[in-house]
Amino acid sequence: MGTFQIDFSNSRKQRVVGIDLGTTNSLVAYMDVTAPKVIPGEDGEPLVPSVVSLTEAGEIIVGNPALQALITHPDRTIYSVKRLMGRGIDDVTEELKLFPFRVAGSGESVLKLSLGEKTFSPPEISAFILRQLKRNAEAALGEEVRQAVITVPAYFNDAQRQATKDAGRIAGLEVQRLVNEPTAAALAYGLDKRKDGVVAVYDFGGGTFDISILRLHEGIFEVLATGGDTHLGGDDIDNLLLKIALEDIESEWKQDLSGNGEAVQTLRRAVINAKHELSRLPAVTLVFDYAGKQYRRELTRPVFEKLILPIIERTLAPCRHCMNDAGLEPEKIDEVVLVGGSTRIPLVRASVERLFRAKPHTELNPDQVVALGAAVQAAILSGDVQDKLLLDVTPLSLGIEIMGGLVSRILHRNSTIPASATEVFTTAVEGQTNVLIHVLQGERELVKDCRSLARFDLKGIDPAPAGLARIEVRFLIDANGILNVSARDLRAGKEQSVEVKPSYGLTDDQVEAMILESIDKAQDDFQERQLREARVEADAILAAVEKARQNDAYFDLEESDRDLITRGLNELLVVYHGEDHLLVRAKIDQLNQATMKLAENMMNTAVNQALKGTKI
Ligand code: ADP
Ligand code: MG
């Protein structure tokens, strides 16, 4: 059988690499013809420790050499900088207690860290790591690399994401997209090829533990729930073993080394090596040479497992919590993906398998899987036609009209796409059989100040008392920025949908203007929204009370109770058209109080029902 080569390369296209910018380790990967591959550095190792050091000669070093410098020049070396990304001085007091960050000051919003005699912001430090990865990629691929997809934890907020993008820019990389780490892991395993399903991603790294539950729907991942512990990881195992070794040494040598920074760091390296070996071997010997003396200790896997069990158990509670948040039982999880170097530990694998009652994916290297997924995402992006509109994030919020001429936002501005979100609404009018879904774009609170994108009717809803119908509205934006809005009556199962292109026709300047305007008008909008919401609530209770007044139960009330209700009604009507939302709310409360007995008597939840849920 003959073989022939096909040249898949396309010189017109820019290569986009995928980068996992980790707390402990970072790495870069690219798409090689058919499969993603990690790119090793000069030392042949793809993992670059996320450590940055400034030499006395004023040169920045990154990765393993910097890890060495952590022993010799701790005051010129920084690790775990990801913990500080996009955070202000007030948010990081906890981190500062646990990590030897040297804060040099905090300007407007970013804090500065000192590294020897210089100071840098966290994005600048991260940029040094990114530059190293960029250099590694350029050396391996033999071409300039200017574009990247970078991964971030699913729970990263806007500021943390922005800081990551800044780091990319400082490093000379155009960040094509930020991808959630669990999503990248699922992509690396090709789970997007499943049509639907639920994926749990268990990520146990060096200093952090993250659990995420994703729902896959037609190739798009939606984060259903996330959880974890930002101070739990392989480091805790290292610290435990280190403590035991130091105690051992003290009793053997009659010498306390715990205050000797250099000795401790060397012993820590030895302990970490032993831990890694134990994932592979049933027993290892920890060896530590110091000042002409040698410490040796045999460590078997059963002993090791007994020691670390409490640490592993600390990962399981967040997993249960996360399943609970997502409203899922373990049986509902279709796939489990292991991420992070610490999931190499056999006991971790066994514990995860027992918890989720499913064999986790371990085929890929757990400390590479996020970068591999980022490379898959990068390839998807660069494979797209160049002139196609590719939105990174939704530039403006999207939502629907609700009672009172107000907008209920469903997908927020800056959501990374593809994105989807679902919300359940209810009806406002008794016996309502259709609802108008009015899709809007913009940051303002009132419908009249937003841009109308589409309208459609959901017809054939089962007539029900107001507040009883359950209408699920789902917004889904695909990678090309196409918005699909669907509405479904959860009781009758009727569904309607519409497709719109939200950014169509808007220039960047217009988007900018809309955002600025919303900031400008925020105060007015807030007042107006409060008032309108209060009026919607008033409408509901007024209608409900009017109706109840025709019920026999009303006439069974004592006259004084009936008077109370009539007075409540009248007083609410008086303030209804005023401008003071607090007054409207107060009168609603008063009327509510007055009708308590009536509601009880009617044994009919209609009044209460009418007050529940956001009404379309
Ligand atoms: P992060 O996502 O936090 O940057 P990684 O996923 O690279 O971190 O995981 C780093 C952690 O994994 C370290 O604590 C390291 O000691 C641990 N680790 C790596 N390989 C193994 C192994 N073979 N056995 C046990 N732990 C390991
Ligand atoms: Mg990681």
Side-chain angles (χ1 to χ4, degrees):
M1 200 167 66
T3 58
F4 57 93
Q5 259 185 333
I6 309 170
D7 185 8
F8 284 89
S9 64
N10 182 338
S11 54
R12 283 176 302 117
K13 255 182 236 157
Q14 282 274 344
R15 187 186 302 269
V16 187
V17 294
I19 292 177
D20 172 6
L21 186 59
T23 309
T24 318
N25 295 302
S26 299
L27 68 162
V28 54
Y30 75 109
M31 195 67 164
D32 184 30
V33 189
T34 54
K37 286 213 172 95
V38 297
I39 299 174
E42 263 179 15
D43 55 2
E45 278 293 320
L47 282 194
V48 173
S50 304
V51 186
V52 174
S53 187
L54 179 71
T55 65
E56 264 145 16
E59 194 198 341
I60 288 285
I61 51 175
V62 174
N64 276 311
L67 198 58
Q68 250 352 86
L70 195 57
I71 303 179
T72 52
H73 297 91
D75 58 322
R76 311 185 66 88
T77 310
I78 286 183
Y79 65 97
S80 275
V81 72
K82 187 174 179 178
R83 296 180 179 278
L84 302 186
M85 292 288 274
R87 306 183 72 186
I89 186 89
D90 298 334
D91 328 318
V92 297
T93 33
E94 275 310 301
E95 303 292 353
L96 296 180
K97 274 186 225 152
L98 297 165
F99 291 85
F101 292 119
R102 291 167 304 279
V103 175
S106 61
E108 296 103 60
S109 59
V110 283
L111 69 188
K112 289 268 187 183
L113 303 170
S114 68
L115 197 59
E117 48 291 336
K118 295 200 183 166
T119 63
F120 299 100
S121 67
E124 285 173 314
I125 303 277
S126 293
F128 289 127
I129 302 169
L130 291 174
R131 263 198 214 107
Q132 179 67 49
L133 296 172
K134 180 176 187 283
R135 273 198 297 274
N136 290 354
E138 288 173 343
L141 301 170
E143 63 187 50
E144 199 189 350
V145 171
R146 278 199 302 250
Q147 299 181 315
V149 165
I150 303 181
T151 58
V152 289
Y155 60 77
F156 254 27
N157 65 24
D158 218 49
Q160 292 169 299
R161 286 169 195 263
Q162 201 54 55
T164 307
K165 274 196 152 179
D166 289 346
R169 201 173 30 91
I170 297 166
L173 288 167
E174 273 171 53
V175 181
Q176 295 291 313
R177 187 168 297 181
L178 296 174
V179 183
N180 288 329
E181 288 163 12
T183 305
L187 277 176
Y189 275 109
L191 300 183
D192 52 316
K193 304 208 171 64
R194 281 182 69 111
K195 205 173 133 32
D196 291 290
V198 178
V199 182
V201 181
Y202 176 102
D203 182 348
F204 198 23
T208 55
F209 168 66
D210 298 314
I211 175 75
S212 317
I213 297 182
L214 312 176
R215 179 165 56 199
L216 177 64
H217 185 68
E218 318 215 311
I220 295 176
F221 291 101
E222 178 185 359
V223 180
L224 289 183
T226 63
D229 187 334
T230 50
H231 294 110
L232 180 64
D235 294 349
D236 294 282
I237 298 176
D238 306 345
N239 289 337
L240 182 68
L241 296 180
L242 183 65
K243 183 165 161 274
I244 294 170
L246 281 169
E247 283 165 5
D248 256 13
I249 289 171
E250 189 174 359
S251 68
E252 264 179 43
W253 297 355
K254 304 281 172 275
Q255 190 178 3
D256 178 12
L257 287 182
S258 59
N260 179 334
E262 221 174 308
V264 169
Q265 286 302 337
T266 312
L267 183 59
R268 181 184 289 277
R269 299 303 319 159
V271 156
I272 293 173
N273 283 338
K275 174 185 80 169
H276 290 186
E277 290 283 279
L278 266 179
S279 293
R280 211 160 49 80
L281 305 170
V284 295
T285 309
L286 175 65
V287 183
F288 171 63
D289 292 301
Y290 181 77
K293 284 182 276 197
Q294 190 176 63
Y295 162 73
R296 293 175 75 88
R297 178 177 165 145
E298 157 107 337
L299 192 58
T300 64
R301 201 184 274 170
V303 170
F304 174 69
E305 291 184 342
K306 209 165 156 206
L307 286 171
I308 65 167
L309 188 64
I311 294 175
I312 294 175
E313 275 175 346
R314 280 175 59 199
T315 68
L316 303 181
C319 293
R320 291 192 196 99
H321 205 116
C322 194
M323 278 193 275
N324 210 26
D325 283 350
L328 295 170
E329 298 288 318
E331 295 75 37
K332 290 273 151 47
I333 310 255
D334 301 299
E335 317 254 7
V336 181
V337 172
L338 292 186
V339 179
S342 300
T343 63
R344 286 228 179 74
I345 299 170
L347 183 62
V348 171
R349 296 191 171 180
S351 306
V352 173
E353 183 171 345
R354 201 171 321 121
L355 179 73
F356 290 106
R357 293 173 217 156
K359 208 158 193 63
H361 282 282
T362 54
E363 306 90 289
L364 296 172
N365 225 320
D367 42 29
Q368 299 182 354
V369 49
V370 168
L372 293 171
V376 172
Q377 176 67 263
I380 294 172
L381 291 182
S382 59
D384 257 302
V385 192
Q386 292 288 302
D387 56 8
K388 203 191 241 170
L389 179 72
L390 253 179
L391 290 178
D392 230 357
V393 292
T394 54
L396 293 166
S397 300
L398 296 161
I400 63 165
E401 175 168 354
I402 55 172
M403 287 292 286
L406 293 170
V407 180
S408 174
R409 266 178 222 130
I410 296 183
L411 269 176
H412 288 260
R413 183 169 94 73
N414 273 341
S415 305
T416 39
I417 58 169
S420 77
T422 306
E423 219 158 286
V424 176
F425 295 87
T426 186
T427 47
V429 181
E430 158 130 17
Q432 193 170 335
T433 55
N434 61 329
V435 287
L436 173 73
I437 306 287
H438 184 192
V439 183
L440 296 145
Q441 179 182 46
E443 305 314 306
R444 302 287 301 275
E445 300 287 342
L446 305 185
V447 169
K448 67 177 177 56
D449 298 320
C450 287
R451 189 164 177 255
S452 171
L453 292 179
R455 292 167 196 267
F456 64 95
D457 266 317
L458 176 63
K459 296 199 183 84
I461 301 171
D462 277 351
L468 216 61
R470 319 255 313 143
I471 315 289
E472 184 186 77
V473 177
R474 184 179 175 83
F475 274 52
L476 198 145
I477 305 187
D478 69 14
N480 296 314
I482 312 279
L483 170 68
N484 182 290
V485 178
S486 61
R488 197 154 65 97
D489 174 5
L490 292 179
R491 299 193 326 149
K494 291 255 166 33
E495 183 165 338
Q496 288 290 324
S497 67
V498 66
E499 200 162 85
V500 270
K501 206 167 185 183
S503 55
Y504 182 75
L506 277 188
T507 65
D508 283 356
D509 287 348
Q510 283 170 311
V511 168
E512 180 104 340
M514 287 172 89
I515 295 167
L516 288 178
E517 189 186 52
S518 78
I519 295 168
D520 212 35
K521 300 277 169 51
Q523 187 62 28
D524 293 348
D525 274 10
F526 180 74
Q527 291 299 338
E528 185 69 24
R529 181 174 190 113
Q530 294 283 337
L531 186 61
R532 289 193 183 211
E533 278 179 352
R535 284 186 191 152
V536 168
E537 222 172 276
D539 284 338
I541 188 164
L542 287 170
V545 173
E546 279 306 344
K547 190 171 165 234
R549 287 217 294 178
Q550 282 144 40
N551 194 293
D552 287 345
Y554 179 73
F555 297 101
D556 294 341
L557 287 176
E558 311 241 323
E559 196 179 301
S560 60
D561 287 329
R562 286 207 302 267
D563 284 349
L564 220 53
I565 294 176
T566 314
R567 192 148 43 139
L569 270 176
N570 290 336
E571 290 184 9
L572 177 54
L573 283 170
V574 169
V575 298
Y576 182 91
H577 288 289
E579 296 296 315
D580 187 347
H581 70 268
L582 291 174
L583 209 52
V584 179
R585 294 239 179 242
K587 294 298 168 192
I588 290 173
D589 285 345
Q590 186 184 322
L591 183 55
N592 259 330
Q593 284 293 332
T595 54
M596 212 100 105
K597 206 179 259 168
L598 173 61
E600 259 168 45
N601 287 357
M602 283 167 70
M603 286 300 286
N604 175 339
T605 50
V607 176
N608 296 325
Q609 289 291 357
L611 298 177
K612 275 191 208 126
T614 311
K615 292 158 201 87
I616 308 180

